[in-house]
Amino acid sequence: MFASANQALAHAVAEGDKGYIQEISGVNLIPFMYLGAKHMATGYDHILFLLGVIFFLYRLKHIGLYVTLFAIGHSTTMLLGVYFNVGINSYIIDAIIGFSVVYKALDNIGAFQRWLGFQPNTKVATVVFGLFHGFGLSTKIIEYNISPDGLIPNLLAFNVGVEIGQLLALGTILIAMSYWRRTASFWRHAYTANVAMMCAGFVLIGYQITGYFVS
């Protein structure tokens, strides 16, 4: 039962979607686009990381830059991972994704500057963690044995859907953040919010590590 709970917390695709993926063959652009958008829009680990990335970004060009870097990272490993059948244990990769949330929260509260005496390159970190997020996607897709018939178009459609889902999630976050930033409570609670995000990342790591040893 505990193992099943951990599987639900991993980069899972709903059972109905899983069955659909396994049964169809040929080029199915719209369905795969929908599945990609659904997966990203409901992927709490991706959303937490995106929240951390844009938490202190105000200009749209800066937000666009970091979101693009993240998209380049996860698109690269998702597409190449599935095409070359390179998968990583889902619990391990999801633990790393949980760590990315912890890392970004620590970065936002200035922990690395205090601990290390310098600021790690945030753009490089966004790309690197994007690569791991992409492996999270590719690992699950590999497990569902997608038909090789129409694989590349379907993967590209899935990736387009992922980007659409990411933009929808990001839009919702930005709307909420824009209202919060206008209030006096933002700067009072920004530190607490990032600590809470960091704790959520540690919870994700704990679930995945436990699931790895229980499964």
Side-chain angles (χ1 to χ4, degrees):
M1 179 177 179
F2 192 76
S4 297
N6 276 282
Q7 289 170 358
L9 285 165
H11 263 265
V13 176
E15 285 300 315
D17 294 338
K18 174 183 176 181
Y20 177 77
I21 290 172
Q22 292 174 331
E23 290 176 2
I24 62 175
S25 63
V27 177
N28 295 272
L29 300 182
I30 300 301
F32 273 92
M33 193 180 301
Y34 165 77
L35 290 173
K38 178 181 177 181
H39 183 82
M40 178 59 83
T42 58
Y44 53 85
D45 45 6
H46 292 301
I47 293 171
L48 277 174
F49 183 74
L50 280 175
L51 172 61
V53 168
I54 62 94
F55 199 92
F56 288 120
L57 296 179
Y58 291 86
R59 295 186 178 182
L60 285 178
K61 67 176 183 179
H62 293 155
I63 294 170
L65 172 62
Y66 278 88
V67 171
T68 299
L69 291 173
F70 180 61
I72 290 171
H74 72 67
S75 297
T76 299
T77 46
M78 189 203 78
L79 294 171
L80 295 179
V82 176
Y83 186 78
F84 291 105
N85 197 35
V86 178
I88 300 174
N89 182 283
S90 60
Y91 291 110
I92 293 175
I93 195 65
D94 282 347
I96 295 173
I97 291 172
F99 174 74
S100 74
V101 175
V102 173
Y103 178 95
K104 193 56 198 172
L106 288 171
D107 185 36
N108 285 347
I109 62 178
F112 299 120
Q113 290 179 325
R114 293 194 301 272
W115 295 346
L116 305 176
F118 68 93
Q119 172 63 49
N121 191 304
T122 54
K123 296 182 181 66
V124 172
T126 301
V127 173
V128 169
F129 284 124
L131 295 173
F132 283 111
H133 280 249
F135 270 126
L137 292 167
S138 68
T139 298
K140 278 300 173 185
I141 293 172
I142 290 171
E143 290 178 4
Y144 297 144
N145 298 317
I146 293 179
S147 170
D149 183 14
L151 176 63
I152 293 178
N154 288 338
L155 281 181
L156 292 174
F158 185 89
N159 193 61
V160 169
V162 165
E163 300 310 324
I164 292 172
Q166 178 173 282
L167 289 175
L168 291 174
L170 182 65
T172 302
I173 292 171
L174 288 175
I175 291 172
M177 290 292 291
S178 66
Y179 281 105
W180 186 26
R181 286 169 176 165
R182 295 172 188 169
T183 68
S185 67
F186 176 71
W187 287 107
R188 290 203 308 268
H189 300 301
Y191 181 89
T192 303
N194 277 278
V195 170
M197 186 164 58
M198 179 177 61
C199 292
F202 278 122
V203 170
L204 293 176
I205 294 170
Y207 269 117
Q208 302 310 327
I209 291 175
T210 303
Y212 176 79
F213 287 106
V214 171
S215 62

